[in-house]
Amino acid sequence: MPALITDAVAARLDGVGAVAQEQDLYVGSGTDFYERLVGPDRAEIREVLALARAAAGPVLDVAAGSGRLTIPLVRAGKRVTAIDISDDMLAHLRRALPGDSRLECVVADMRDFTLESRYGLVVLGATSITLLDRTDRSRLYASVRRHLAPAGVFALTVAGGSAAESLASDRELEITVPGPLGEESYVFAQQIEPAGSVRLVNWVRVADIVAGATVPVLTSRLHVLDHETLARELVEAGFTEPTVSPVRTHPGAEILLLTTGRVGSGEAGGRR
């Protein structure tokens, strides 16, 4: 089986003589599923809007995806630059806010980007920090520092509590996802790599698992992180010790918000 296919999904497909076809969750048709999966999620939005109200100047949404945070920020009157490495993802955002002068979409890698502005608020939501390994997180921090205005705030999220614990072990379950013709059932499988620091995640539509078929399997590879690790890294990267607060969301989806600022730029977003 391909490298990003979990053992659980491989076993399901082998059982009916089907073949896996890897599809990146963040590219092409994977973005349609991603939008259906996370689009209705309102977690983080209230907290990010509160930070934006207190921030001077424009907002930078890093790894903005289809705009789950960008859209409410623009509708609240903020000027937002949304960057994402996937133009397919940003296409969803452009369609949601066609011709809005307050929105700028830029195809850029969150690990290393160069923009012309500095921002009073830089946000990295949806626990997207877990897409990056330690080296790439250092590159991200450096890029954010270059673009953060004096007294600006950098805000990012990571899973906490029981939600974090659930990300550290193998899992397989069926979930229901809104579809174009109604709800659809998907197999969700998570597999922890031997070192315990990385998890492979697969989604495959149950209806596609048929004998002899070539079955699209949406894949992602994510790092297992906690807020203590991120706090240490941020301080090492020249940010103030972050303030950590819970995000209000539904039970079982515990998320922690870290807010920080550049050392030497006042107390914005963090404590010393």
Side-chain angles (χ1 to χ4, degrees), residues 1 27 46 166 260:
M1 283 290 175
V27 177
R46 185 181 305 180
S166 74
T260 184

Side-chain angles (χ1 to χ4, degrees), residues 158-161 225-234 242 244 256 258:
V158 69
L225 293 171
D226 55 53
H227 73 274
E228 292 95 346
T229 297
L230 294 178
R232 287 194 300 271
E233 292 177 359
L234 287 163
V244 180
L256 298 176
L258 284 70

Side-chain angles (χ1 to χ4, degrees), residues 2 12 16 29 33-34 67 71 104 109 123 185 188 199 201 212 221 229-230 241 253 256 264 268:
R12 287 216 184 199
V16 297
S29 61
F33 172 79
Y34 183 85
I71 292 168
E104 179 186 20
D109 190 331
V123 296
S185 293
F188 166 79
R199 61 191 183 102
V201 177
R221 187 173 185 271
T229 297
L230 294 178
E241 182 183 349
L256 298 176

Side-chain angles (χ1 to χ4, degrees), residues 132-145:
L132 305 179
D133 64 18
R134 180 65 181 95
T135 299
D136 287 338
R137 292 197 298 275
S138 292
R139 296 172 66 194
L140 164 74
Y141 301 147
S143 291
V144 170
R145 275 184 54 85

